């Protein structure tokens, strides 16, 4: 069948996706061309997951792609389908997750007379993607395969294809030559590492695809290791050298102040919150691809594969940290968070909620939304990986955790997933509870319910709208979940929470945790400072 027809192009697209390793498509179809793609994909063994929203489809797809090492793929209709997917494109690109978005479009052959839903979709998606182009009849299968593989090329991110069988289409950019390590830079880096007595290692998002190589290189290395939010899980937290999180905020400053060298592995400037780089030590960055470095002052950048670079760079490291230095830094954060007065009888704090959930569920897969609850969750939820904790760190978008949990559960069948979200973030993706029920996924949603945008409220000052700008009417999320087919339970104290989590060991569950937000100010002071 020729790719100059809708069905012909759908078949060619499906061939290209299959060749690139695509296993599932997520999305919201809008009619003929979309349905032809779904049908052609199904004939080739590529399944389709129907979501309620386009952004949710993108998040689920890119998360699935990250964990499976395949191009996460989403399908939307033209016009509102593409524009509704914009946040999902941005999330994939800034969080360095692989996503191919295929959109229907007004065909070029009728664009001069068809204004309905007509947008320049290629141009609209371009600022949010690594590349945006048209899939036409010219070499369609090869173009689709190349576009899908482009999503995985470091740095991973979003790619967009507008589906149009009436035009020849565009060609994705060719792969660049593998980077060649500068011998002088390698010599300088090895000298800095050999001379350092108190080096600190920071592991970032680019290390995730090569996590095994990173763990091998750092195993037994007697110096503190910090991970970014996105890289949490790459390094086992049971290691005595694990020192906690690097966020660009107050929590890691004492350790960086003691360091005489910072070694960044896969560290991406998109990961740190805006602010000054305070470390005075020299910085060596090891990265799989050329990367921006200005945030870290004037570092020495080495570009190449981690499997060969890390052993060479770290070969002569001779740290002289006191035994257990990293663990003491890590434990001090726990102690400071725990210094908040205990909750009163019959109440539940964010700290109680995280600790109790982690104890009850164990080291399960975890997705975390943006909001105040992440400041309690990320330092207190211990994991030895190797799968990373899934969080939107580069874009920090609310509404991430639930669709991400769907992608995680499909990528890791047979394993339980914990989805920790605030009431604001869940409200943005609440329709996907039905998707969770329909697919019968083993996901436990924990809602930090205080009827407010608490992180924003903590930043609020006089003459900035007051309470109406940051608070909602109370919502019974347990009742909503039940109406959508997921068991929902309200928990207002630690005992209720523990009993609920232990009584439903498998399948979908939503826990509507009615929390006391009082400790959040103490938490944000501990993690980020004033």
């Amino acid at each position: 069948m020729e790719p100059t027809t809708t069905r012909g192009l759908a078949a060619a697209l499906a061939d290209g996706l299959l060749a690139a390793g695509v296993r599932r498509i997520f999305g919201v179809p809008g009619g003929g061309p979309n349905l032809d793609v779904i049908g052609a994909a199904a004939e080739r063994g590529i399944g389709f997951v129907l979501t309620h929203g386009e952004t949710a489809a993108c998040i689920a797809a890119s998360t699935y792609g990250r964990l499976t090492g395949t191009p996460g793929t989403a399908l939307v209709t033209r016009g509102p389908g593409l524009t509704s997917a914009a946040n999902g494109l941005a999330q994939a690109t800034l969080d360095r997750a692989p996503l191919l978005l295929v959109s229907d479009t007004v065909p070029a052959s009728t664009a001069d007379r068809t204004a309905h839903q007509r947008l320049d979709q290629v141009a609209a998606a371009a600022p949010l993607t690594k590349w945006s182009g048209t899939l036409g009849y010219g070499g369609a299968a090869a173009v689709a395969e190349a576009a899908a593989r482009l999503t995985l090329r470091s740095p991973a991110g979003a790619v967009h294809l507008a589906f149009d069988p009436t035009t020849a289409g565009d060609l994705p950019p060719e792969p660049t030559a593998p980077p060649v390590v500068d011998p002088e830079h390698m010599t300088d880096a090895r000298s800095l590492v050999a001379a350092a007595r108190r080096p600190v290692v920071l592991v970032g998002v680019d290390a995730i695809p090569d996590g095994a190589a990173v763990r091998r290189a750092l195993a037994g290395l007697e110096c503190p290791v910090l991970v970014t939010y996105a890289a949490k899980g790459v390094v086992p937290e049971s290691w005595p050298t694990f020192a906690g999180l690097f966020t660009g905020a107050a929590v890691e400053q004492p350790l960086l102040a003691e360091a005489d060298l910072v070694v960044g592995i896969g560290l991406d400037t998109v990961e740190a919150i805006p602010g000054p780089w305070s470390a005075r030590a020299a910085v060596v960055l090891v990265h799989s691809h050329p990367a921006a470095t200005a945030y870290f002052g004037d570092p020495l950048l080495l570009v190449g594969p981690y499997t060969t670079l890390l052993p060479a760079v770290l070969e002569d490291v001779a740290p002289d940290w006191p035994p257990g230095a990293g663990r003491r830094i890590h434990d001090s954060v726990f102690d400071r968070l725990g210094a908040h007065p205990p909750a009163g009888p019959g109440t539940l704090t964010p700290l109680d909620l995280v600790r109790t959930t982690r104890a009850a569920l164990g080291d399960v897969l975890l997705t975390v939304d943006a909001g105040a609850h992440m400041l309690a969750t990320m330092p207190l939820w211990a994991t030895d990986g190797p799968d990373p904790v899934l969080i939107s760190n580069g874009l920090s978008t609310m509404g991430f955790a639930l669709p991400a949990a769907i992608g995680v559960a499909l990528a890791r069948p047979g394993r339980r997933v914990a989805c920790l979200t605030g009431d604001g973030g869940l409200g943005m993706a609440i329709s996907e509870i039905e998707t969770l029920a329909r697919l019968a996924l083993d996901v436990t949603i924990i809602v930090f319910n205080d009827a407010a945008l608490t992180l924003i409220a903590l930043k609020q000052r006089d003459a900035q709208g007051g309470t109406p700008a940051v608070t909602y009417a109370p919502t019974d999320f347990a009742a909503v979940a039940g109406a959508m087919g997921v068991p929902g339970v309200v928990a207002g104290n630690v005992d209720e929470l523990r009993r609920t989590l232990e009584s439903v060991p498998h399948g979908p569950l939503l826990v509507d945790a009615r929390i006391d937000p009082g400790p959040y100010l103490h938490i944000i002071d501990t993690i980020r400072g004033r």
Side-chain angles (χ1 to χ4, degrees):
M1 190 178 298
E2 290 298 319
T4 52
T5 65
T6 295
R7 291 202 169 185
L9 187 57
L13 169 60
D15 286 338
L17 295 181
L18 185 66
V22 172
R23 302 178 188 177
R24 292 181 188 270
I25 299 173
F26 299 75
V28 183
N34 288 164
L35 296 175
D36 285 332
V37 171
I38 294 170
E43 290 173 356
R44 290 155 179 81
I46 301 173
F48 179 73
V49 177
L50 175 65
T51 63
H52 288 267
E54 290 84 359
T55 281
C58 289
I59 292 172
S62 65
T63 303
Y64 180 88
R66 165 166 282 173
L67 291 190
T68 58
T70 63
T73 305
L75 180 70
V76 299
T77 192
R78 65 193 188 188
L82 184 280
T83 55
S84 294
N87 195 52
L89 291 172
Q91 182 273 315
T93 297
L94 289 183
D95 289 323
R96 315 310 192 211
L99 172 67
L100 175 65
L101 178 68
V102 179
S103 72
D104 185 17
T105 190
V106 174
S109 61
T110 62
D112 60 343
R113 57 177 295 274
T114 304
H116 180 67
Q117 295 184 328
R118 186 183 65 203
L119 298 168
D120 188 343
Q121 296 186 169
V122 170
L128 307 175
T129 59
K130 299 175 64 173
W131 179 75
S132 179
T134 298
L135 178 69
Y137 54 75
V143 169
E145 180 182 357
R149 294 189 184 280
L150 177 58
T151 69
L152 294 165
R153 197 184 309 163
S154 295
V159 171
H160 165 245
L161 284 175
F163 181 99
D164 185 356
T166 72
T167 187
D170 303 313
L171 295 177
E174 293 287 337
T176 56
V180 177
V181 179
D182 186 318
E184 291 186 10
H185 284 187
M186 175 60 78
T187 299
D188 292 344
R190 285 172 58 92
S191 296
L192 287 169
V193 169
R197 291 298 168 262
R198 295 207 167 184
V200 171
V201 176
L202 310 182
V203 179
V205 65
D206 190 62
I208 293 174
D210 293 299
V214 173
R215 288 189 292 277
R216 285 195 302 270
L218 298 182
L221 193 65
E222 297 297 328
C223 65
V225 178
L226 296 167
V227 298
T228 64
Y229 276 4
K232 184 176 173 71
V234 172
V235 175
E237 296 186 24
S238 58
W239 281 5
T241 53
F242 181 76
L245 297 168
F246 168 75
T247 66
V251 67
E252 68 269 13
Q253 294 310 312
L255 183 60
L256 294 181
E258 292 187 56
D260 60 5
L261 178 68
V262 174
V263 179
I265 301 175
L267 202 57
D268 194 314
T269 56
V270 78
E271 299 187 85
I273 62 175
W277 171 247
S278 60
R280 298 177 182 177
V283 179
V284 174
L285 299 179
V286 182
H287 222 77
S288 70
H289 60 89
T293 63
Y295 180 91
F296 304 104
D298 186 23
L300 178 62
L301 176 65
L302 295 175
V303 178
Y306 294 110
T307 52
T308 55
L309 272 185
L310 289 178
V313 170
L314 299 174
E315 182 178 8
D316 297 322
V317 64
D320 189 27
W321 283 96
R327 179 56 57 178
R328 281 198 299 274
I329 294 292
H330 172 269
D331 291 347
S332 71
V333 176
F334 270 73
D335 293 341
R336 280 180 282 158
L337 288 174
H340 189 274
T347 62
L348 185 63
T349 73
L351 301 171
D352 296 330
L353 182 50
V354 175
R355 289 185 174 118
T356 304
T357 301
R358 174 62 178 81
L361 298 185
D363 191 6
V364 297
L365 297 160
L366 178 67
T367 67
V368 184
D369 222 318
H373 67 281
M374 73 180 180
L375 300 177
T377 301
M378 296 304 285
L380 293 181
W381 189 284
T383 179
D384 279 348
D387 283 325
V389 168
L390 277 302
I391 184 170
S392 176
N393 193 31
L395 184 62
S396 295
T397 183
M398 294 171 64
F400 169 85
L402 177 52
I406 291 170
V408 171
L410 291 169
R412 295 289 186 265
R415 294 183 61 187
R416 196 172 190 178
V417 182
C419 168
L420 272 59
T421 181
D423 47 74
L426 182 59
M428 295 180 179
I430 198 165
S431 58
E432 303 307 332
I433 293 175
E434 186 280 331
T435 307
L436 188 66
R438 174 169 25 99
L439 300 178
L441 299 177
D442 196 0
V443 174
T444 300
I445 304 171
I446 309 291
V447 189
F448 292 66
N449 190 356
D450 58 3
L453 297 174
T454 305
L455 186 57
I456 308 306
L458 291 172
K459 301 176 183 180
Q460 195 176 39
R461 299 180 180 179
D462 292 340
Q464 290 190 327
T467 300
V470 293
T471 58
Y472 298 105
T475 299
D476 187 338
F477 289 104
V480 173
M484 290 187 171
V486 170
V489 181
V490 173
N493 57 59
V494 168
D495 289 339
E496 290 176 350
L497 175 63
R498 184 183 296 112
R499 285 196 301 269
T500 296
L501 294 174
E502 292 175 350
S503 65
V504 186
H506 301 291
L509 172 68
L510 183 142
V511 180
D512 185 346
R514 308 292 172 83
I515 62 165
D516 170 11
Y520 274 133
L521 186 59
H522 169 70
I523 294 169
I524 197 170
D525 282 347
T526 301
I527 303 300
R528 292 188 175 178
R530 286 281 187 167

